[in-house]
Amino acid sequence: MKRKILEVLHHAGTEFVSGQMLCEQLGISRQAVWKYMTQLKEQGYILESVSNKGYRLQETPDRMYGPDMESRLDADGICQKIEYHDVIDSTNIRAKQLAETGEPEGTLVVADQQSSGKGRRGRSWSSEWGTGIYMSLILRPSLSPQQTSSVTILAALAVAKAVDRCCCQKSSIHPQIKWPNDIVLNGKKVCGILTEMSSEMDYVHYAVVGIGINANNASFPEEVASVAGSIATETGDHVDRQQLVADIMNAFGGYYCGLIKYKDLSFVVDEYNGMLANRDQEVKIYHGMVETAKESEIEQGVAQGIDNQGALLVKSNHGIEKVVSGEVSVRGLYGYV
Ligand code: BTN
């Protein structure tokens, strides 16, 4: 019920919503409306109530709250259900547990903090309380495992698009994508994506797309401090994390429908390449870990953009090479981008 009340209040924006209207639309009594409004106020929502006018939402607390995020989702979008945790080991681990026990496609696990956040290539993901966004979406695509791996590219696009819309309207900087799926603002990494899949040779049981966003973080652990930034540090503005979660899910839904329809990335290649931070730039391709790779494991070339399968096309002395994600890391010649 609180999801529905918040949906009406968010939709009304700065307008008042009459108690009578809420009763009729939600099929509940005046006392019930009053009870839910009181509960929301206790949770930190600032609600103005004026007799003869009704209720108006003035401020939402900076906390992740499942019903509130759900109230901002597209009615026909991919995500319809959010499972919220204050603290969890890893939203990817929880989403995989849910998927194993039959949870349908479209459930999103969100947490305010992770105690064992996982990054790519066995790294950890710093996940302090209340500043970042940690979330994992369960998918069950009717695609091959290879086609399914493209969801990571689409998640990066959805994050970049939503961050631009939600957080960069007042700023002169805009998000870019560092292949395959890091989002950068001002050259700083503000988002990482870890997709995990359970599949057979030609059948996908499920995929979990885990998205970590540095939203309002002010500082970072020493080991990532030179590379990482947050949306707030780079734009100078505080991020409405709940709105950003909903905007990402709403954007991802459209891209995911496209992938199911076309079965490759042909419909977004131009859009993705338009946001690619390394496009037409000299890049180094590391076949080992970046920190420990030997000279023989590093190649150099100019990044051209992705192909319909999401591979990065790199022009080198040997011609155009297709670099496949998961096998390598790509860095700029003089730094991370
Ligand atoms: C990367 O190394 O760039 C990927 C980081 C992915 C982190 C996110 S946070 C939400 C989800 N849960 C995890 O444990 N990891 C992903």
Side-chain angles (χ1 to χ4, degrees):
M1 189 52 71
K2 281 198 243 172
R3 168 184 178 162
K4 287 191 183 150
I5 291 179
L6 286 165
E7 200 173 313
V8 177
L9 291 172
H10 282 308
H11 192 73
T14 53
E15 301 290 313
F16 279 93
V17 181
S18 75
Q20 183 62 32
M21 209 267 259
L22 279 165
C23 293
E24 280 165 16
Q25 220 170 310
L26 308 176
I28 53 174
S29 65
R30 284 252 177 191
Q31 282 94 326
V33 169
W34 183 82
K35 185 187 86 185
Y36 288 122
M37 292 298 177
T38 307
Q39 285 176 7
L40 286 171
K41 283 181 190 169
E42 282 165 5
Q43 284 174 245
Y45 287 82
I46 314 271
L47 285 157
E48 195 183 353
S49 47
V50 175
S51 50
N52 295 327
K53 280 187 163 180
Y55 300 93
R56 182 162 70 172
L57 182 58
Q58 287 192 319
E59 225 178 285
T60 302
D62 185 15
R63 277 287 316 259
M64 303 297 225
Y65 177 48
D68 193 336
M69 287 180 276
E70 285 174 348
S71 77
R72 309 180 198 212
L73 296 169
D74 286 346
D76 54 355
I78 175 78
C79 176
Q80 288 303 316
K81 180 179 164 193
I82 295 182
E83 181 184 284
Y84 167 75
H85 297 263
D86 192 27
V87 182
I88 199 169
D89 48 1
S90 151
T91 54
N92 265 32
I93 293 176
R94 174 64 185 154
K96 284 192 287 181
Q97 282 166 352
L98 287 172
E100 290 288 344
T101 51
E103 187 72 20
E105 169 165 280
T107 295
L108 181 72
V109 180
V110 180
D112 245 313
Q113 183 180 359
Q114 296 184 118
S115 53
S116 307
K118 298 196 292 173
R120 294 177 69 212
R121 305 183 133 222
R123 295 189 174 97
S124 61
W125 183 260
S126 163
S127 311
E128 66 174 31
W129 194 86
T131 57
I133 294 173
Y134 319 110
M135 61 182 182
S136 303
L137 179 67
I138 298 172
L139 298 174
R140 296 186 184 276
S142 48
L143 298 171
S144 71
Q146 206 213 343
Q147 291 163 339
T148 300
S149 60
S150 293
V151 295
T152 308
I153 293 274
L154 296 182
L157 256 185
V159 173
K161 188 172 173 177
V163 167
D164 202 23
R165 223 187 89 186
C166 187
C167 320
C168 297
Q169 294 304 309
K170 287 189 274 163
S171 135
S172 57
I173 56 164
H174 298 282
Q176 289 186 301
I177 301 170
K178 181 185 159 293
W179 183 87
N181 50 23
D182 288 352
I183 308 304
V184 290
L185 266 180
N186 244 351
K188 297 280 188 184
K189 175 167 172 171
V190 298
C191 167
I193 299 171
L194 174 67
T195 298
E196 298 183 83
M197 208 190 300
S198 163
S199 68
E200 290 166 31
M201 284 290 282
D202 54 356
Y203 178 78
V204 174
H205 297 288
Y206 63 83
V208 161
V209 183
I211 302 176
I213 302 178
N214 304 328
N216 293 317
N217 314 51
S219 60
F220 295 93
E222 204 184 319
E223 60 279 14
V224 294
S226 63
V227 166
S230 73
I231 301 173
T233 56
E234 300 316 305
T235 63
D237 284 322
H238 190 81
V239 176
D240 179 345
R241 293 180 298 148
Q242 302 206 101
Q243 190 60 46
L244 186 53
V245 168
D247 283 354
I248 291 169
M249 286 300 117
N250 293 339
F252 181 77
Y255 290 128
Y256 184 60
C257 285
L259 180 64
I260 300 298
K261 183 172 171 192
Y262 297 108
K263 308 212 183 303
D264 67 18
L265 295 169
S266 47
F267 67 106
V268 286
V269 162
D270 290 343
E271 188 180 356
Y272 181 94
N273 287 340
M275 295 189 116
L276 189 62
N278 330 84
R279 193 174 191 187
D280 298 327
Q281 305 288 314
E282 287 268 359
V283 289
K284 281 185 173 179
I285 303 156
Y286 293 79
H287 291 270
M289 292 294 269
V290 175
E291 298 78 9
T292 53
K294 300 185 205 90
E295 270 309 306
S296 59
E297 294 171 329
I298 306 172
E299 282 183 79
Q300 203 166 307
V302 178
Q304 312 277 287
I306 58 162
D307 68 7
N308 289 351
Q309 278 67 49
L312 184 68
L313 303 174
V314 178
K315 195 173 179 186
S316 71
N317 297 338
H318 314 113
I320 303 272
E321 197 185 334
K322 272 189 188 188
V323 179
V324 178
S325 134
E327 293 170 7
V328 296
S329 296
V330 171
R331 291 284 184 275
L333 233 45
Y334 305 107
Y336 166 67
V337 179

